[in-house]
Each structure stands twice: as C-alpha cells, then as structure tokens.
Amino acid sequence: MLGITKDIVLRIAKYYLVALILLIPIPLAGDYITHVTILVMLYAVTAASLDILVGYTGRLSLGHAAFFAVGAYTSTLLAMNWGVSPWVGIFLGGLMASVFGLILGVPSLKLRGPYLAISTLGFGIIVWLMLINLDWLTRGPLGIPGIPPLPGIGPIDFRSKVAFYYVALAFTLISIFLLHLLTKSRIGKILMSIREDEDAALSVGVDVPLFKVYAFLIATFFAGISGGLYAHYLRYISPEISTLGESIYILSMTIIGGFGTLIGPVMGAAVLSLLQELLRSYLEYRYLIYGMLIILVMKFFPSGIYGIVQFILRKVRE
Amino acid sequence: MILEVDKVVKRFGGLVAVDNVSFSVSEGEIFGIIGPNGAGKTTLFNVITGFYKPDSGSIRFLGEDITGMKPNKLAKLGLTRTWQIVKPFLGMSVLDNLLVSIYATKGVIYGMSEGEAVRRAEEILEFAGLLHRRDVLAEALPHGERKRLEIARALATEPKLLMLDEPAGGLTPTEMDEVMEVVRKVRESGVTVVIIEHNMRVIMNVCERIMVLNFGRKIAEGSPEEISRNEEVIKAYLGERFHVRS
Ligand SMILES: Nc1ncnc2c1ncn2[C@@H]1O[C@H](COP(=O)(O)OP(=O)(O)OP(=O)(O)O)[C@@H](O)[C@H]1O
Ligand SMILES: [Mg+2]
C-alpha cells in the first residue's frame, strides 16, 4: 500500500531493532540519564514530525511548539476535568493538534517564504496567548500542576521513571518508524515534489493544496501526542511550552540535525538537549546560541549533523 | 478537435499579453506556435493549462469546457505541459521524478501496483533515452538531459495532449536533434503535441500547422510553407528577431 513494499519495511525495521537494543539498557545508567533520555525522545519525535513539513514539503514553520502544547493541554484537561484516561487522552490530544493544524494549514496554503514563516509564527503566538488568557480553562500563566500520571497496568506504576521510559521508548520508535515509512511512501515522494517545485508538481497532476494539508495533519498529530506524553510525564505544564522560543528550539533541532532526512532531526534533538544540559548556567543565552548554530549550519553544513555523520562514516569506510 | 481555444484574452495590468487568440488542434497532429520574445506564447500555455485564468474567452479539451480548471485536474484529464525554463524535481532521482507523475494521475493509495508503476516509468525513461540515468539525482543531469526529463515526466502522466514550451531552447544542435527525435516519437505514439519553438529549422521540419503570435495577437496560421511566405510574419518575426535567437 502507498508504494511501501515489504523490502522497504524490512530494510528500515532493521535500524529500529538496533536502536531498540541499544536503548533498552539506558535506565541502568540512573535516574538522571533516564530523565534526559525521555525528554530527548519526546523532542526527537516532535522535531522529526516538523521535518515532514520543513524538510519534506518545504514549508517552514515557526509555530510547531503550539501543536505540542495543544496536545499537552488537551490530554491534561480531558484527564483532570472529565476523567478521560490519559492513554486515550494523549491520542485525542494528537487529533486536537491536527485540528489546530488544519486551522493554520488551510489559510496558509497559498503563502510562501517569509509570509508563511510569519503566519506560522503568528499562529504560535495566538495559541500561547490563548493558553495565558483563558485562565478559567488553563489556569493562565500559572500552569497546571498535579496532572495525573499514565494509569498503571497491573503492577507497573508509570510514576516511576524507568516504567515511563519504556512507554516513551516504544512511542518514539514506533512514531519515527511510521514517519520514516511515510517519507519512503508515495505520499513522501509527492510531498518532496511539492518542496522541489509546486508548479511542476501541479502540472503533473499533484493536488498540491490537499497534500500540504496532509503534511500539516501528520506533522501536528505527532507533535500533539509528544506533548501529551510530556504532560503526563512531568505532570506539570504551563504556557511556556508553547512560546516562540520553544518553537525555535524545535526548529533548531530539525535544521541543525539536517532537515529532509528525518533521522537528522532525531540527532539534532539529542545534541541540542545535551548542549542545553551542559549550558545550564547560560540558559538566558540559549536562543542566541541556537540562532547562531542555525546560521552556521545553514552556511557551512546545510545537511546538518546527519550530513556530518554520513561524511565521517564514508571516510571511515575508505 | 482535441483542443479548441476561443477568443482568449489575458491581461497583466495594462499589458494585453494574449489578445483575442483563437485556434484549434485536431487529434494526432503536431501544432506549432512561434512568435518573437514576449509575444505571449508562454502566457497562452499558462492560460490553457490552468495556471492563469483568462480574462475572457474559453477553452475546450475533448469537447469539455476546461476554462479555469486547475492544472492538476487537467493533468488527470490528459492535458499536460512542460516548462520553457525546466523545473525538474532536483533533489529527487530521475525515476522518482516520473513516479510522481504516475502516482499523482493514477492514484496514491490505490492506483498502479508499485512494480507496475516502476516498469511504466522505466519504459518512458528508455523512450526518452534516460534509462541509464534512472537512479541519479535530477540535479546531476546536464541541461540537454533535463530537457528530456521534462518531457519524460510529462509523458508519465499519459497525456492525450502534450504542450511543449520550447523543448529545444538553449540546446546545442546535437542535443536539439535528440530532443526533437523524442518529440517525433511522442507523436507517433498517438499523443497530440502543441509546441512552442524559436528555432525555425526545428519547427518547419516537425509541424503540420503553425500559428504565429505577435504582441499577443495571432497574425497568421498555416502550413510551414505558407508561414514562411507570409509577408506579415516575415516583417514581424523572421526579418529581425529571428536572427537574434537562432
Ligand atoms: N506573470 C506576469 N506578470 C506580468 N507580466 C507578465 C507575466 N507573465 C508574462 N508577462 C508579460 O507578458 C508578455 C508575454 O510574455 P510571455 O512569457 O508569454 O512571452 P513569450 O512569447 O513566451 O516570450 P519568450 O519567447 O521570451 O518565451 C511579456 O511582455 C511579459 O513580460
Ligand atoms: Mg515563453
């Protein structure tokens, strides 16, 4: 289906099996490493989902954190006000993020370049303002503490970092695997044709607006689910997760990692999270640093960390 | 008649780029359009293929009114075009360039099986003399091959009417012959062709009928011999501008 052959599935699945084996023992390294890895994984899915828009469809977005936040708030509010199980709520949060994706995606279909960037930026700010000002629903800038954890299954209690780690690991590997298949599918190739040249794509029959909307729906869905998991993991959220700075943080992962490669953004998420941990005492300069890194990468290594890794692997093989 | 263009007008502000142009193309022919730079040839293509809406006039394809229809819809009906300044999907392989056409016209979810789609794309690549380039990125192709890729990608939509905007533009004489060979084969395979061309040698050899545009207006239509003898054409086109480009 969708041009995904068994060959492709098997070839890709191998990598995820290796990743699974490498990542299973992480909790042995202690709570701190486990915690950081969980956050890296949630950001990795978000950055990879953004890559579907930025890297594959060629649609820059400066508001991706908004969808992460919509997922987080949706699942949180459903759980706290209506007793919806987070297992279901997280999924509904993904859907709600997609609804917001539609609201942004459809009106911005015709926009390109800086106009698109500004409209996505504006949309992110609108979501942030809503979270701050709808205090009856969101408690405004104070945020929402005491979010219920993922309900336990049998003896497993997901308040434990280790237990949650394996949920996050499963979610991450499955999500990135699905996105990876998407990029290899017919839809992936159609999205790439839009990135390369919209007019040429139209002239060979591509329904460009429709597929741009698909890209928005898919990218925002995965950002929303990541947000939901984040909320039930940290058990506290605030409008801070939807700021422009946060969107730029995610975009930095995608771009510095190497956009249009899917795996690059995953590497970007790991490297930037580590950087953030190392630079704890310079936190106020972090956006400055990310901004400079983006410019440096775009200028000297447009294929990003992924490109650098490939380059090194090639040298080693020779 | 496969294509009927009736009194089409397209303005850009005060400029009338296409001024009340009518013509029709019958099934199976190669129809040529010539005219000096800025005569409105590309604009006429853009109007016919749905990239611009005409200010007035109408266009029929296989008897159906297609005025203002979207390009992607037209491609599915069997009307597609190539671009004067080629627009390959640079970051994709040559094969993938063609697969996009097949998926887009035959269906993404259902449509052709993957094996069938690849076979079809390979057939067309062979036809266009590009099979040996199957797996390289389009950005690695030299200009001559990009021109043929442009045609191959359009053919992969299985058009009934193919509109070529200067397919031999900017090519060396050898490359030009290669491209025109492909065009002739396209026609032999039963596809109707409308071709814009600047090079007189090329267009006189390949077309049955030619229309001449000047300042957006149609000034002549007829066989290559008639056109080359037409006083107004010689004055407007052959006399001065022809030498500039050829
Ligand atoms: N999008 C546009 N906006 C404004 N003016 C345009 C536009 N497209 C074309 N024109 C103008 O319309 C006229 C016709 O241009 P067109 O490109 O159709 O000519 P052409 O016959 O294809 O020329 P060439 O042989 O150089 O390709 C020109 O004066 C051009 O500047
Ligand atoms: Mg032109």
Side-chain angles (χ1 to χ4, degrees):
Chain A
M1 204 186 86
L2 290 174
I4 302 172
T5 57
K6 220 195 210 148
D7 272 4
I8 296 178
V9 175
L10 292 178
R11 204 180 66 222
I12 295 177
K14 272 195 315 226
Y15 296 108
Y16 290 82
L17 210 64
V18 172
L20 177 67
I21 292 167
L22 291 176
L23 288 167
I24 279 180
I26 290 283
L28 294 175
D31 262 9
Y32 174 68
I33 302 275
T34 308
H35 170 73
V36 172
T37 313
I38 289 172
L39 292 183
V40 166
M41 292 195 296
L42 297 182
Y43 274 112
V45 173
T46 311
S49 75
L50 178 59
D51 199 26
I52 297 297
L53 274 178
V54 176
Y56 285 89
T57 320
R59 310 284 290 165
L60 187 62
S61 171
L62 289 174
H64 212 52
F67 304 106
F68 183 90
V70 166
Y73 271 87
T74 302
S75 183
T76 298
L77 294 172
L78 285 174
M80 296 184 74
N81 298 339
W82 290 282
V84 176
S85 161
W87 291 111
V88 178
I90 289 171
F91 180 73
L92 294 177
L95 291 182
M96 185 59 93
S98 285
V99 170
F100 275 71
L102 265 186
I103 297 171
L104 169 64
V106 172
S108 66
L109 280 176
K110 289 239 155 77
L111 303 180
R112 295 183 196 199
Y115 303 99
L116 178 67
I118 289 169
S119 80
T120 56
L121 184 149
F123 185 82
I125 292 175
I126 290 171
V127 168
W128 175 66
L129 286 174
M130 277 170 57
L131 294 179
I132 286 190
N133 289 307
L134 299 176
D135 359 23
W136 57 272
L137 187 66
T138 65
R139 288 175 42 98
L142 295 176
I144 307 177
I147 300 172
L150 285 176
I153 301 174
I156 308 170
D157 181 351
F158 290 110
R159 271 171 300 191
S160 116
K161 280 200 169 43
V162 175
F164 190 91
Y165 174 82
Y166 289 107
V167 173
L169 178 60
F171 158 75
T172 303
L173 289 181
I174 291 171
S175 299
I176 297 174
F177 180 63
L178 290 176
L179 289 172
H180 203 155
L181 283 183
L182 178 83
T183 63
K184 300 286 177 201
S185 75
R186 293 182 173 183
I187 296 181
K189 283 175 188 162
I190 298 246
L191 295 182
M192 282 155 79
S193 78
I194 295 174
R195 170 192 74 194
E196 296 296 327
D197 197 305
E198 285 188 22
D199 284 340
L202 274 173
S203 71
V204 296
V206 174
D207 191 338
V208 171
L210 182 72
F211 280 90
K212 281 184 186 166
V213 168
Y214 285 167
F216 257 105
L217 289 178
I218 294 164
T220 52
F221 177 75
F222 284 97
I225 295 200
S226 308
L229 274 168
Y230 176 92
H232 294 285
Y233 172 60
L234 288 186
R235 302 177 56 199
Y236 166 75
I237 52 174
S238 77
E240 284 298 298
I241 60 175
S242 71
T243 55
L244 174 61
E246 199 59 21
S247 287
I248 290 177
Y249 185 42
I250 296 165
L251 184 64
S252 317
M253 294 171 175
T254 307
I255 290 181
I256 295 170
F259 59 101
T261 65
L262 197 75
I263 302 306
V266 174
M267 298 174 174
V271 169
L272 285 196
S273 302
L274 291 181
L275 204 64
Q276 174 145 325
E277 290 299 313
L278 294 176
L279 296 177
R280 278 222 164 270
S281 33
Y282 307 100
L283 269 190
E284 62 266 47
Y285 301 116
R286 63 184 196 131
Y287 296 126
L288 190 70
I289 296 171
Y290 300 150
M292 272 163 36
L293 272 178
I294 289 186
I295 293 170
L296 287 177
V297 166
M298 294 285 256
K299 182 126 183 63
F300 297 108
F301 243 108
S303 49
I305 299 171
Y306 182 85
I308 297 173
V309 169
Q310 289 243 307
F311 180 76
I312 294 172
L313 284 181
R314 217 173 315 136
K315 284 278 154 204
V316 168
R317 243 177 257 144
E318 272 164 18
Chain B
M1 286 293 152
I2 189 165
L3 180 72
E4 294 155 90
V5 174
D6 191 31
K7 303 198 196 75
V8 161
V9 176
K10 178 67 198 174
R11 293 191 192 88
F12 296 113
L15 175 81
V16 189
V18 176
D19 191 355
N20 208 26
V21 170
S22 304
F23 69 100
S24 35
V25 179
S26 47
E27 225 156 323
E29 76 172 321
I30 300 194
F31 184 87
I33 299 177
I34 62 173
N37 295 129
K41 306 179 296 293
T42 298
T43 304
L44 181 61
F45 262 37
N46 284 335
V47 171
I48 294 171
T49 53
F51 283 89
Y52 294 153
K53 278 207 171 69
D55 293 297
S56 62
S58 71
I59 301 143
R60 298 171 79 77
F61 175 60
L62 292 168
E64 184 187 349
D65 187 353
I66 56 158
T67 320
M69 211 181 258
K70 293 269 175 295
N72 55 308
K73 206 124 173 245
L74 292 172
K76 282 174 197 144
L77 287 179
L79 169 57
T80 191
R81 57 92 59 85
T82 63
W83 303 85
Q84 179 172 1
I85 298 164
V86 291
K87 295 173 179 284
F89 302 133
L90 287 174
M92 302 174 71
S93 75
V94 167
L95 181 72
D96 282 351
N97 267 263
L98 270 66
L99 286 177
V100 168
S101 302
I102 295 174
Y103 300 153
T105 49
K106 298 283 175 310
V108 169
I109 297 180
Y110 302 106
M112 275 188 187
S113 78
E114 199 52 24
E116 210 179 324
V118 171
R119 256 193 312 282
R120 181 84 193 106
E122 285 173 343
E123 253 170 58
I124 296 167
L125 284 177
E126 168 128 59
F127 182 90
L130 286 171
L131 191 54
H132 63 297
R133 302 296 233 163
R134 183 185 186 275
D135 295 314
V136 305
L137 291 185
E139 67 191 6
L141 299 185
H143 187 62
E145 290 186 341
R146 288 186 189 191
K147 283 279 192 187
R148 278 184 278 143
L149 174 60
E150 187 81 7
I151 298 175
R153 188 181 60 190
L155 283 176
T157 67
E158 295 198 13
K160 298 186 180 82
L161 173 59
L162 177 60
M163 317 238 326
L164 302 169
D165 194 347
E166 298 205 29
L171 294 182
T172 65
T174 336
E175 289 173 330
M176 212 180 267
D177 288 341
E178 284 167 356
V179 166
M180 293 322 292
E181 189 49 42
V182 172
V183 173
R184 248 187 298 269
K185 283 196 314 196
V186 168
R187 188 286 190 64
E188 274 160 29
S189 73
V191 178
T192 310
V193 177
V194 175
I195 180 170
I196 296 175
E197 191 45 69
H198 250 285
N199 187 296
M200 290 315 268
R201 178 176 70 88
V202 166
I203 203 141
M204 293 297 175
N205 269 329
V206 70
C207 295
E208 279 113 45
R209 278 188 315 135
I210 294 173
M211 167 172 85
V212 187
L213 292 183
N214 193 23
F215 294 115
R217 235 165 301 162
K218 170 170 159 180
I219 58 170
E221 183 182 325
S223 68
E225 300 84 66
E226 286 165 352
I227 292 298
S228 53
R229 276 186 274 115
N230 184 305
E231 285 294 321
E232 201 174 347
V233 175
I234 294 168
K235 215 168 66 211
Y237 183 63
L238 299 175
E240 35 187 83
R241 308 263 201 138
F242 172 47
H243 298 290
V244 179
R245 273 273 197 115
S246 62

